[in-house]
């Protein structure tokens, strides 16, 4: 009887933690589908892909790792997929999914072999943090563009948008609400920001159209990745940055979350669950899932096991019926979330030893070149190529690991081949 009571209380607490986790992450359905839309996927298909990937990810985490983590398409990873891999290289959406599948397969191999540990120690921390900061600036730039706050200039690359336009005013008001809610640590602040932004957009006349009731039969639920470009060098040059980002982002996030839980014994299975989940996204039609930073909210709310993740999986499936309403969310309500997430990612700059120039310069190149080239892969390439050059120049080549030199050489070969191709 006592055991039964404990079970009931436990389920109640875990269920509540799962509910909070869902409310803090369901914004991803609107945000991710808009980013996938930039890569050529219809908005509603993007929503279904995001919902299914999130539900399946949480289910895998619940059953395989028994950990209270939420797996959703990663912010930053989705920008890398849409803007660098698909738009930037001219791959089709299905070819982009083939990149996702192979990069996730590499991620899965690192999860089941010693390769993960080897890479973890071989890649300098300064470069890993620089990628996160660069991604943050890139997301901020996309958010500023989506909100009309910056536009292409006549005499400059970028200039301020029209401050009197309804789109800019709506974005700024929503951004202020988002910052206020976030600094006050209001539960589900991104969701509340999005709802508030949609209401403001209604009054300023920039609201999106409500979708029709979902014709489920018309939607493609399974996507087939297109591997026709797999023999081309350029294809592998997109696989490479995605695999690196997936491996290190998940390593860092899962490690931090299990520290909160005091359950580092679950690291291996949680990391493997993340890899299985990422692998499935290539067939569901979205960029890969990662262990989301919002898992911290689940743990802080009392989530300790897979029951919280199971609750989130069920709730995500239920989100399918809200798609007609989610279609109404305008880009002015999405833009502030991208800007705030960008600001959070930029905080990693304090982890970079800026007083050591041989670490700071390559990191700086990654940070500035990701947004300035509008390509995460190219930005990473600049930093990885610069790292060994700077170390050799000042006689610190002993600090170089084999993987860093190999990665730098591959990026350099890609640049040379690209210039010869032109």
């Amino acid at each position: 009887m006592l055991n039964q009571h404990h079970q009931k209380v436990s389920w109640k607490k875990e269920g509540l933690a799962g509910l909070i986790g869902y409310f803090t992450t369901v914004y991803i359905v609107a945000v991710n589908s808009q980013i996938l839309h930039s890569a050529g996927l219809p908005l509603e298909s993007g929503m279904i892909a995001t919902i299914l990937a999130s539900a399946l990810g949480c289910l895998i985490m619940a059953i395989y790792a028994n950990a209270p983590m939420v797996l959703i398409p990663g912010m930053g990873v989705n920008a890398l997929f849409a803007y660098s891999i698909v738009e930037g290289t001219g791959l089709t959406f299905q070819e982009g999914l083939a990149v996702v599948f192979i990069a996730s397969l590499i991620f899965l191999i690192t999860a089941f072999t010693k390769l993960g540990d080897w890479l973890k120690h071989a890649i300098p921390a300064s470069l890993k943090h620089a990628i996160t900061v660069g991604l943050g600036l890139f997301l901020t730039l996309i958010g500023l563009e989506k909100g009309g706050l910056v536009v292409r200039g006549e005499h400059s690359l970028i200039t301020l948008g029209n401050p009197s336009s309804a789109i800019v005013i709506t974005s700024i008001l929503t951004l202020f609400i988002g910052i206020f809610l976030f600094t006050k640590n209001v539960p589900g602040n991104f969701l509340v920001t999005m709802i508030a932004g949609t209401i403001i957009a209604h009054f300023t006349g920039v609201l999106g159209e409500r979708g029709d009731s979902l014709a489920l039969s018309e939607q493609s639920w399974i996507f087939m990745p297109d591997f026709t470009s797999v023999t081309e060098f350029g294809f592998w040059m997109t696989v490479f940055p995605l695999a690196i980002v997936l491996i290190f982002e998940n390593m860092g996030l899962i490690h931090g979350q299990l520290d909160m839980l005091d359950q580092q014994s679950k690291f291996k299975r949680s990391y493997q669950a993340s890899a299985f989940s990422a692998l499935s996204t290539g067939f569901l039609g979205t960029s890969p899932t990662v262990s989301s930073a919002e898992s911290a909210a689940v743990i802080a709310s009392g989530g300790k096991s897979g029951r919280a993740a199971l609750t989130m999986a069920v709730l995500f499936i239920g989100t399918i019926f809200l798609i007609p309403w989610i279609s109404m969310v305008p880009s002015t309500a999405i833009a502030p979330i991208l800007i705030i997430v960008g600001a959070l990612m930029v905080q990693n700059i304090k982890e970079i030893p800026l007083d050591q120039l041989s670490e700071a310069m390559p990191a700086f190149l990654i940070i500035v070149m990701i947004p300035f080239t509008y390509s995460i892969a190219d930005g990473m390439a600049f930093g990885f190529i610069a790292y060994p050059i700077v170390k050799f120049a000042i006689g610190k080549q002993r600090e170089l690991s084999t993987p860093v030199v190999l990665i730098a050489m591959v990026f350099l070969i890609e640049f040379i081949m690209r210039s010869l191709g032109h």
Side-chain angles (χ1 to χ4, degrees):
M1 184 72 188
L2 190 70
N3 191 34
Q4 202 175 3
H5 173 70
H6 174 73
Q7 202 87 359
K8 204 188 314 184
V9 172
S10 176
W11 259 113
K12 191 176 168 186
K13 199 169 184 183
E14 297 275 338
L16 187 63
L19 184 69
I20 289 166
Y22 168 77
F23 278 119
T24 57
T25 52
V26 70
Y27 72 89
I28 198 68
V29 179
V31 177
N32 194 53
S33 58
Q34 285 220 4
I35 289 176
L36 293 176
H37 190 51
S38 308
L41 190 68
L43 211 52
E44 286 196 349
S45 298
M47 287 180 201
I48 289 179
T50 307
I51 289 166
L52 292 181
S54 305
L56 183 60
C58 290
L59 190 64
I60 292 169
M61 188 56 85
I63 294 166
Y64 186 81
N66 191 25
M69 291 182 200
V70 53
L71 292 176
I72 56 174
M75 295 297 292
V77 179
N78 50 13
L80 169 54
F81 173 75
Y83 301 105
S84 294
I85 294 173
V86 179
E87 270 196 340
T89 58
L91 293 178
T92 65
F93 188 79
Q94 276 75 12
E95 285 172 331
L97 293 179
V99 173
V100 167
F101 177 77
I102 293 173
S104 301
L105 199 57
I106 294 168
F107 173 25
L108 190 68
I109 291 164
T110 69
F112 279 92
T113 62
K114 294 243 186 327
L115 192 63
D117 261 358
W118 185 63
L119 279 172
K120 184 175 162 186
H121 296 112
I123 307 286
S126 60
L127 297 187
K128 286 186 267 193
H129 292 304
I131 293 167
T132 305
V133 177
L135 281 172
L137 289 177
F138 190 50
L139 277 181
T140 305
L141 178 60
I142 294 165
L144 292 169
E145 280 184 331
K146 275 188 177 293
L149 296 164
V150 298
V151 292
R152 205 178 289 271
E154 272 181 54
H155 307 294
S156 61
L157 282 174
I158 292 175
T159 188
L160 192 64
N162 177 5
S164 62
S165 81
I167 287 177
V168 172
I169 291 166
T170 310
S171 297
I172 291 172
L173 287 173
T174 311
L175 180 61
F176 282 140
I177 290 168
I179 293 169
F180 174 78
L181 294 171
F182 195 84
T183 48
K184 286 284 185 191
N185 216 3
V186 174
N189 45 55
F190 284 160
L191 180 64
V192 180
T193 302
M194 216 162 64
I195 293 167
T198 306
I199 293 166
I200 294 168
H202 170 71
F203 289 108
T204 55
V206 295
L207 192 63
E209 292 289 310
R210 190 190 145 181
D212 302 324
S213 290
L214 195 59
L216 296 180
S217 56
E218 292 171 22
Q219 301 292 329
S220 49
W221 293 73
I222 302 289
F223 287 79
M224 280 317 292
D226 178 359
F227 292 97
T228 48
S229 308
V230 79
T231 51
E232 292 169 24
F233 187 72
F235 177 89
W236 290 94
M237 289 313 298
T238 57
V239 167
F240 204 47
L242 183 59
I244 290 174
V245 170
L246 278 180
I247 290 162
F248 292 123
E249 198 161 315
N250 281 292
M251 255 182 205
L253 286 164
I254 294 168
H255 191 75
Q257 286 148 10
L258 291 174
D259 258 358
M260 275 181 76
L261 258 183
D262 207 16
Q263 289 187 4
Q264 280 299 341
S265 57
K266 287 186 177 178
F267 177 82
K268 197 170 181 183
R269 286 185 84 85
S270 300
Y271 185 63
Q272 290 168 348
S274 298
F276 280 125
S277 175
L279 195 65
S280 72
T281 60
F283 298 97
L284 295 173
T286 175
S287 53
T289 50
V290 299
S291 176
S292 160
E294 283 90 353
S295 298
V298 183
I299 295 162
S301 312
K304 285 186 165 50
S305 73
R307 292 171 182 177
L310 191 61
T311 306
M312 291 185 278
V314 173
L315 290 168
F316 267 115
I317 287 292
T319 314
I320 285 181
F321 301 104
L322 302 177
I323 283 179
W325 287 274
I326 300 172
S327 310
M328 291 170 69
V329 177
S331 59
T332 52
I334 306 280
I337 293 170
L338 297 177
I339 294 166
I340 295 168
V341 171
L344 296 175
M345 292 173 84
V346 168
Q347 289 178 11
N348 271 48
I349 200 160
K350 62 180 184 283
E351 308 291 339
I352 300 168
L354 296 172
D355 52 342
Q356 297 174 34
L357 274 183
S358 66
E359 297 289 329
M361 280 312 291
F364 173 73
L365 283 173
I366 290 177
I367 291 166
V368 295
M369 293 307 277
I370 285 178
F372 290 166
T373 60
Y374 219 78
S375 166
I376 294 155
D378 286 347
M380 284 169 65
F382 271 93
F384 272 95
I385 292 168
Y387 194 83
I389 293 172
V390 174
K391 290 289 181 188
F392 268 111
I394 59 170
K396 286 191 174 178
Q397 55 265 42
R398 287 192 171 183
E399 292 179 14
L400 291 170
S401 65
T402 312
V404 172
V405 176
L406 287 174
I407 291 169
M409 283 169 68
V410 172
F411 275 132
L412 189 60
I413 291 164
E414 198 261 342
F415 273 162
I416 293 166
M417 285 178 70
R418 210 192 296 178
S419 59
L420 292 174
H422 285 303

